[in-house]
Amino acid sequence: MDKPPQPFADGMPNLSHGHFAVPTPVDLQVAQPFTHAPRFLILYGSLRERSFSRFLAYEAARLLEAMGSEVRIYDAHGLPLPDDATADHPKVQELRNLSIWSEGHVWVSPERHGNMTGVMKSQIDWLPLSEGSVRPTQGRTLAVMQVSGGSQSFNAVNSLRLLGRWMRMVTIPNQSSVPMAYKEFDDAGRMKPGPLYERVVDVCEELMKFTLLTRERADYLVDRYSERKEREPERLKAVAADVGFVKQ
């Protein structure tokens, strides 16, 4: 098999060496550990009075609080459809501010027509990849869960994983899918003991571990070569001129 000699001696002429950085263990060391409790935002995808996704969200919140974290649960009642209002709508601002405050998310959706609900997707669609210099989701951890009225399915959590990757979040390996959810919660909305509840505990424990591992390093972990180049003043000026904001 034909291959170049080792080590490669033909250089990297397309690389901007001033922006190229070699990751090292030293870069991952934490200079000043955070002293506040881990912060989690939980979103759920139903507006029903008796909502199993809300019940599951509450179970996750209880577990995360028992592990020493601070939790906020967003209520999507009153949130307009994406593009049906401006971003200064109070419910949109509430959602974005909670995401900026958070260090990790839990997304819980019912499965409807083989996928997440529109309520769930609308909440995520209102979260921009960037808002000025602020990125409301980038670098945050994410756990995904779903409830189903029928047999075991992973359609919703698979779609949520795709969205988490698109939103540049650190989605943990574990997940929870609760089939026939009407059998798994009692009249008070508490989840019954059993293997499905134990999986929820596993997911919350793993989310907590990943958040403690990454939250102080999030800025470094999402610092990218291409974006370092884009932040150069000359590059920003050229882009602005190209789209008609300034004249060269």
Side-chain angles (χ1 to χ4, degrees), residues 81-99:
L81 289 172
D83 302 326
D84 198 34
T86 56
D88 59 359
H89 188 285
K91 289 297 292 187
V92 175
Q93 286 299 303
E94 178 190 358
L95 175 61
R96 293 186 179 186
N97 288 335
L98 283 171
S99 188

Side-chain angles (χ1 to χ4, degrees), residues 31-215:
Q32 188 171 1
F34 290 168
T35 57
H36 63 267
R39 300 167 177 168
F40 293 102
L41 170 62
I42 301 182
L43 308 179
Y44 62 92
S46 173
L47 302 179
R48 291 179 176 177
E49 182 176 350
R50 182 168 172 80
S51 164
F52 296 113
S53 63
R54 185 176 73 250
F55 294 159
L56 185 56
Y58 286 179
E59 293 294 348
R62 293 182 184 101
L63 288 164
L64 290 169
E65 285 190 343
M67 295 175 194
S69 67
E70 191 175 355
V71 179
R72 299 287 184 271
I73 302 176
Y74 180 73
D75 179 1
H77 281 91
L79 180 70
L81 289 172
D83 302 326
D84 198 34
T86 56
D88 59 359
H89 188 285
K91 289 297 292 187
V92 175
Q93 286 299 303
E94 178 190 358
L95 175 61
R96 293 186 179 186
N97 288 335
L98 283 171
S99 188
I100 291 168
W101 164 85
S102 72
E103 295 163 338
H105 285 204
V106 181
W107 293 351
V108 188
S109 180
E111 182 172 295
R112 181 173 296 171
H113 300 317
N115 215 314
M116 77 183 79
T117 61
V119 174
M120 190 78 234
K121 184 63 161 57
S122 291
Q123 293 175 79
I124 299 168
D125 283 347
W126 272 119
L127 292 172
L129 280 174
S130 63
E131 194 168 25
S133 61
V134 177
R135 298 182 184 273
T137 56
Q138 179 169 267
R140 288 157 179 80
T141 52
L142 171 65
V144 295
M145 304 184 185
Q146 75 169 74
V147 293
S148 304
S151 59
Q152 184 73 279
S153 172
F154 301 96
N155 292 327
V157 287
N158 287 339
S159 293
L160 290 171
R161 281 187 176 280
L162 189 154
L163 284 170
R165 184 170 68 249
W166 187 261
M167 302 302 286
R168 300 176 177 179
M169 303 179 79
V170 182
T171 308
I172 67 170
N174 215 337
Q175 62 188 22
S176 169
S177 176
V178 181
M180 293 183 281
Y182 57 91
K183 293 183 177 181
E184 298 300 326
F185 294 87
D186 63 23
D187 292 340
R190 295 304 307 269
M191 196 170 184
K192 299 175 183 178
L196 293 173
Y197 177 73
E198 291 169 5
R199 173 59 68 90
V200 175
V201 179
D202 289 347
V203 170
C204 291
E205 182 181 290
E206 187 172 290
L207 176 65
M208 187 71 165
K209 291 176 180 177
F210 270 79
T211 304
L212 291 171
L213 183 67
T214 62
R215 66 174 184 157

Side-chain angles (χ1 to χ4, degrees), residues 207-226:
L207 176 65
M208 187 71 165
K209 291 176 180 177
F210 270 79
T211 304
L212 291 171
L213 183 67
T214 62
R215 66 174 184 157
E216 294 152 324
R217 303 168 175 86
D219 290 342
Y220 174 70
L221 291 173
V222 297
D223 183 47
R224 297 177 179 85
Y225 165 79
S226 60

